[in-house]
Amino acid sequence: MNTDLKALELLFQRPLEPVFTTRDNGKTVFDLPESVYTDRYRNNTEEVSNRFSQNVETRIPIREVARKPNLEFASKLGRKQQFSLFINKHKEIASQLIQLFLDAPNLQQFVALAAYTKDRVNPVLFQYSYAVAIAHRPDTRTVPIPNISQVFPSNFIEPSVFQDARQEASVIAKSGNRTVLEIPANYTASDREDEQHLAYFREDIGVNSHHWHWHLVYPASGPMEIVNKDRRGELFYYMHHQLLARYNVERFCNRLKRTIPLSNLREEIPEGYFPKILSSINNRTYPARISKQQLSDVARPDGNIEISELERWRDRILAAIDQGYVEDTQGNRIPLDEVRGIDILGNIIEACNTLSVNNQFYGNLHNQGHTIISFAHDPDYRHLEDFGVMGDVTTAMRDPIFYRWHGFIDTIFNKHKTLLPVYNNTQLGFEGINVTYVEARLGAANARPNTLLTYWQRSSANLAAGLDFGPVEDENITATFRHLQNAPYTYTFNVTNSGPRRSGTCRIFICPKTDERNQPLRLEEQRLLAIEMDKFTVELMPGENTIRRESTDSSVAIPFERSFRAVGASYQPTAADDLARFRFCGCGWPQHLLLPKGKPEGMQFDLFVMISDYTQDAVQQLSNTPNDACSTAYSFCGLKDKLYPDKRTMGFPFDRRLPNDTLNELVGAFSNMAKTDITIKFNDRVIG
């Protein structure tokens, strides 16, 4: 066992406990040099060391840090303050800490530095910066980054469950005899609140974990080598655009109209939200936002934000889109063309300091919008309240206002897309390729074609790893929760190739056919609501080809186990390939929400399939190293340390205006496209 790599893995566990306490179910303790102990324990090092090293199986020695870092910059964020990636001061602190970790000259010194730092900075700041460094250092590629819901479970789960969990673990010694706890569903509002019909989506653990992990892989601040990833700004647009499309389709499934973009920050917000979850860092509840809340300018110790600032940034960005170019700090005009325009806008709107062409002029629209909304309840700090859930990437997607704010952000991107030329025949066609048959079918022997199924499923998670200062031995504290699930199915396509052998890219989308009132949608509306289901390369032999693809192989989603995996060696697979996937694949849409919910009587969608010319799609990678095991969800997350593996713009062909009035006309005009009606039926039963 490489003890340095093991030490890095264990530093994720029990994030609020001092570094000298036991880890790995009480089996392992660190042998620490005296310099690692904080002033609080400096005079009691022998006592605490002896106490926590009794009955352990493994002692991992930690070296003396070669040069003690100056952590004064991190002291501006107190250890019991909330940490937010949307607050500029916090981002700057995280950027410095990430750089400090990346600069460690070797693995041993990185371990020493992390151990020294852990108890001296804000715990959430540490976990985020540490995870970013682990994900980007070449010598830590094999260190598993645990799901954030396992590290800080109170950000995801109703708090009374933890009281029951601690009681159960304290009273019942053997985990096999403990009662299985139940995480309640629909605990944030009653059915008198229309938005509560979408709680299963917004408050899903996998959805919120995905959002956190995406921002971990694509940080908006930090050293250039980890921020400046291929097409990062475009991916910010596309991942959030797909979140919004999926959310609006779920609204149709529940007979609710599309979310209304939050385009006017001076109007009161009718939607309230009472999250009823605790912050791990200070054991306080995330503040609520009452119904009909008015947003205000923010004047707090962490910084000041005026609504008028956001309005100026918005107007400047919209003017740039109308003009077709942005201006950098030297006054040079950079065109917002059909290749790089969306990427430039993504880096401006999310305000990635190192990538925005003119951060001072175009501002920080997306992040500061999150911040103003998150402090609506206490904008001037008179009540000493921290931010609400919109201020935290692990919790923001729980709030209905997240989708209204991103609905507005999406209208800006869509304005740019609308001004681009309509796709032409050369871009859309693939000469000699004819898709003749499209089907999706469940695996059951008697399953009807093109009828898919969703239902409730009850699954379990182990809460032990997140119970700081709880029992350490035989840690298995199981809680069950209900979530949406879909029955696996298989796509089957028949494709005729009238030319030589060649490659194509198969692109699969589903589009809702009707809105919440059962009124048919126009192609332009379907285009904006198109949900990407899968994308993969196919080899087409001359003549007839039959293509089969399992829904569980989607390029969008990650398996259920990766969204809810437990922490610790005993839960990790042993096969090399499976272990690699387990370690690297936390980024991706949860497989259990791959399909929209549908309706009990069935809801109709268009299943759209396109085979595009691979010679126009292929990307020449800068290195010949094979894709790592985390390449499965590349549509949302790209490939680790590689270029985005599709030359076309993300969302092609639905990212821009199309030359036809209806989807039927579109597929009729291009033989390399086909569609069929599918029905998604929701079974309102809970299956174990």
Side-chain angles (χ1 to χ4, degrees):
M1 178 181 69
N2 184 318
T3 56
D4 290 316
L5 294 177
K6 182 65 176 177
L8 292 173
E9 180 182 339
L10 295 178
L11 282 170
F12 280 114
Q13 294 185 14
R14 295 183 172 252
L16 304 182
E17 291 189 11
V19 71
F20 54 74
T21 61
T22 56
R23 280 158 172 74
D24 200 17
N25 294 356
K27 299 172 186 174
T28 306
V29 71
F30 297 129
D31 271 340
L32 302 169
E34 257 193 48
S35 63
V36 171
Y37 291 87
T38 60
D39 292 344
R40 167 66 182 84
Y41 301 105
R42 186 69 51 78
N43 297 326
N44 307 99
T45 56
E46 186 174 349
E47 178 186 344
V48 296
S49 176
N50 291 338
R51 178 185 175 187
F52 288 101
S53 58
Q54 295 176 8
N55 303 319
V56 297
E57 298 175 7
T58 307
R59 302 170 68 96
I60 297 179
I62 304 296
R63 293 166 178 78
E64 188 79 55
V65 65
R67 182 178 178 184
K68 290 182 184 177
N70 182 355
L71 297 175
E72 182 66 27
F73 70 90
S75 66
K76 298 171 186 174
L77 180 65
R79 282 185 53 80
K80 292 188 178 180
Q81 277 183 264
Q82 287 274 57
F83 168 72
S84 173
L85 287 173
F86 300 120
I87 296 175
N88 284 339
K89 185 185 292 185
H90 296 191
K91 282 200 306 178
E92 291 165 5
I93 294 171
S95 178
Q96 288 181 261
L97 189 55
I98 292 167
Q99 186 69 68
L100 188 68
F101 288 152
L102 292 177
D103 287 343
N106 53 50
L107 194 62
Q108 293 76 21
Q109 277 302 300
F110 178 40
V111 174
L113 181 62
Y116 178 87
T117 306
K118 180 184 180 297
D119 294 342
R120 288 174 167 81
V121 301
N122 179 281
V124 182
L125 165 70
F126 173 83
Q127 288 288 332
Y128 169 75
S129 305
Y130 179 64
V132 171
I134 292 277
H136 292 89
R137 281 182 66 100
D139 54 3
T140 55
R141 291 175 181 273
T142 60
V143 177
I145 297 175
N147 191 295
I148 190 66
S149 64
Q150 304 287 346
V151 179
F152 293 114
S154 62
N155 286 25
F156 299 85
I157 295 170
E158 199 271 333
S160 67
V161 175
F162 294 101
Q163 182 178 338
D164 295 340
R166 287 188 171 91
Q167 176 179 326
E168 196 70 19
S170 298
V171 174
I172 307 298
K174 293 184 178 180
S175 62
N177 297 330
R178 292 173 186 159
T179 299
V180 175
L181 307 174
E182 183 175 332
I183 300 170
N186 294 327
Y187 60 86
T188 48
S190 72
D191 57 8
R192 294 178 63 186
E193 172 56 63
D194 285 344
E195 296 299 325
Q196 192 63 15
H197 293 298
L198 273 296
Y200 69 89
F201 181 95
R202 291 185 285 100
E203 296 171 0
D204 184 86
I205 297 173
V207 164
N208 286 277
S209 297
H210 158 71
H211 191 234
W212 170 82
H213 207 113
W214 189 93
H215 283 279
L216 180 77
V217 175
Y218 291 94
S221 62
M224 181 63 86
E225 64 266 26
I226 70 167
V227 172
N228 190 20
K229 292 187 172 75
D230 182 49
R231 296 169 70 177
R232 183 204 174 283
E234 183 180 8
L235 200 49
F236 169 79
Y237 145 72
Y238 186 60
M239 191 276 288
H240 288 89
H241 171 79
Q242 280 290 296
L243 291 184
L244 196 64
R246 286 179 170 275
Y247 183 69
N248 278 322
V249 171
E250 291 291 340
R251 294 180 71 85
F252 290 168
C253 296
N254 291 278
R255 297 177 173 82
L256 296 175
K257 65 182 179 180
R258 276 163 280 195
T259 191
I260 300 171
L262 187 64
S263 54
N264 186 349
L265 296 176
R266 297 186 185 276
E267 288 182 352
E268 63 182 24
I269 299 173
E271 302 92 349
Y273 186 63
F274 291 72
K276 301 181 182 65
I277 53 174
L278 291 175
S279 160
S280 301
I281 204 76
N282 55 24
N283 218 33
R284 293 181 180 179
T285 57
Y286 278 87
R289 186 186 62 257
I290 62 170
S291 301
K292 299 182 180 180
Q293 177 75 63
Q294 192 81 39
L295 298 180
S296 305
D297 296 342
V298 171
R300 296 172 61 95
D302 282 333
N304 300 333
I305 313 164
E306 296 179 0
I307 292 175
S308 59
E309 281 186 288
L310 273 71
E311 291 169 334
R312 281 196 299 275
W313 297 335
R314 173 202 64 194
D315 293 344
R316 289 168 180 172
I317 293 168
L318 290 173
I321 291 171
D322 282 330
Q323 292 170 333
Y325 62 85
V326 293
E327 293 189 5
D328 65 15
T329 54
Q330 306 301 314
N332 300 311
R333 294 181 176 182
I334 303 171
L336 295 174
D337 58 27
E338 55 191 271
V339 178
R340 291 194 60 238
I342 191 69
D343 193 50
I344 292 168
L345 282 174
N347 287 324
I348 284 174
I349 290 172
E350 201 199 1
C352 182
N353 292 354
T354 53
L355 300 181
S356 174
V357 298
N358 195 336
N359 189 249
Q360 180 63 35
F361 185 73
Y362 294 112
N364 190 359
L365 180 60
H366 164 261
N367 291 346
Q368 296 293 51
H370 267 270
T371 303
I372 278 184
I373 295 167
S374 72
F375 285 126
H377 56 284
D378 191 16
D380 59 3
Y381 201 50
R382 72 177 60 197
H383 300 294
L384 307 181
E385 285 287 324
D386 248 318
F387 51 73
V389 292
M390 273 289 280
D392 188 338
V393 292
T394 65
T395 57
M397 288 186 65
R398 303 173 70 89
D399 192 335
I401 203 66
F402 173 92
Y403 304 91
R404 291 197 61 200
W405 177 238
H406 274 275
F408 165 65
I409 296 295
D410 203 53
T411 62
I412 299 177
F413 288 122
N414 289 332
K415 179 178 175 64
H416 161 69
K417 290 282 190 177
T418 302
L419 294 178
L420 296 175
V422 175
Y423 276 126
N424 59 40
N425 291 1
T426 302
Q427 294 166 317
L428 294 173
F430 191 3
E431 188 67 30
I433 300 299
N434 187 14
V435 183
T436 58
Y437 181 74
V438 174
E439 176 190 283
R441 189 190 293 257
L442 298 177
N446 59 347
R448 296 175 57 188
N450 300 321
T451 298
L452 305 180
L453 179 67
T454 65
Y455 52 91
W456 298 123
Q457 185 173 64
R458 184 159 294 283
S459 297
S460 61
N462 184 7
L463 303 183
L467 291 182
D468 293 275
F469 303 105
V472 296
E473 295 180 359
D474 193 22
E475 292 196 39
N476 191 5
I477 303 169
T478 303
T480 68
F481 56 97
R482 192 193 75 172
H483 60 88
L484 191 66
Q485 183 60 282
N486 56 86
Y489 58 92
T490 304
Y491 299 108
T492 302
F493 313 132
N494 291 341
V495 182
T496 302
N497 176 11
S498 59
R501 176 178 175 174
R502 45 192 163 163
S503 300
T505 303
C506 185
R507 304 170 187 273
I508 306 175
F509 292 82
I510 61 171
C511 306
K513 295 175 75 73
T514 58
D515 64 12
E516 78 285 357
R517 297 178 297 118
N518 212 31
Q519 296 300 303
L521 296 168
R522 296 176 291 108
L523 176 58
E524 181 64 12
E525 293 175 299
Q526 286 187 294
R527 180 180 76 78
L528 294 173
L529 294 167
I531 295 174
E532 182 176 342
M533 301 298 289
D534 204 350
K535 179 167 55 180
F536 54 95
T537 304
V538 291
E539 290 297 317
L540 300 171
M541 306 301 291
E544 294 293 327
N545 296 262
T546 298
I547 300 168
R548 290 186 175 87
R549 175 82 165 181
E550 300 300 320
S551 62
T552 50
D553 293 331
S554 171
S555 66
V556 170
I558 59 173
F560 180 86
E561 293 76 14
R562 295 188 208 162
S563 291
F564 301 101
R565 61 192 181 191
V567 176
S570 59
Y571 298 99
Q572 296 182 16
T574 54
D577 289 348
D578 292 340
L579 182 59
R581 290 187 182 91
F582 179 92
R583 284 170 168 166
F584 289 123
C585 299
C587 184
W589 187 250
Q591 178 76 37
H592 61 277
L593 290 177
L594 181 64
L595 280 181
K597 180 182 177 184
K599 296 178 180 177
E601 69 275 20
M603 181 172 173
Q604 284 209 323
F605 291 80
D606 284 314
L607 172 61
F608 172 88
V609 179
M610 174 186 189
I611 309 286
S612 59
D613 186 350
Y614 185 71
T615 62
Q616 296 185 42
D617 308 334
V619 173
Q620 184 64 46
Q621 296 291 349
L622 301 179
S623 69
N624 294 322
T625 56
N627 293 342
D628 67 34
C630 194
S631 62
T632 51
Y634 74 82
S635 287
F636 281 6
C637 302
L639 296 178
K640 185 175 172 62
D641 302 326
K642 290 198 168 191
L643 302 177
Y644 192 82
D646 184 4
K647 194 173 181 180
R648 308 271 192 164
T649 48
M650 297 176 196
F652 174 80
F654 291 112
D655 66 302
R656 273 165 55 188
R657 289 176 299 140
L658 295 160
N660 307 91
D661 293 328
T662 67
L663 199 55
N664 282 333
E665 290 179 12
L666 178 70
V667 299
F670 296 94
S671 64
N672 61 315
M673 303 178 190
K675 80 170 192 69
T676 193
D677 291 349
I678 62 168
T679 300
I680 301 178
K681 287 191 172 183
F682 169 61
N683 187 348
D684 194 7
R685 288 195 307 132
V686 178
I687 297 175

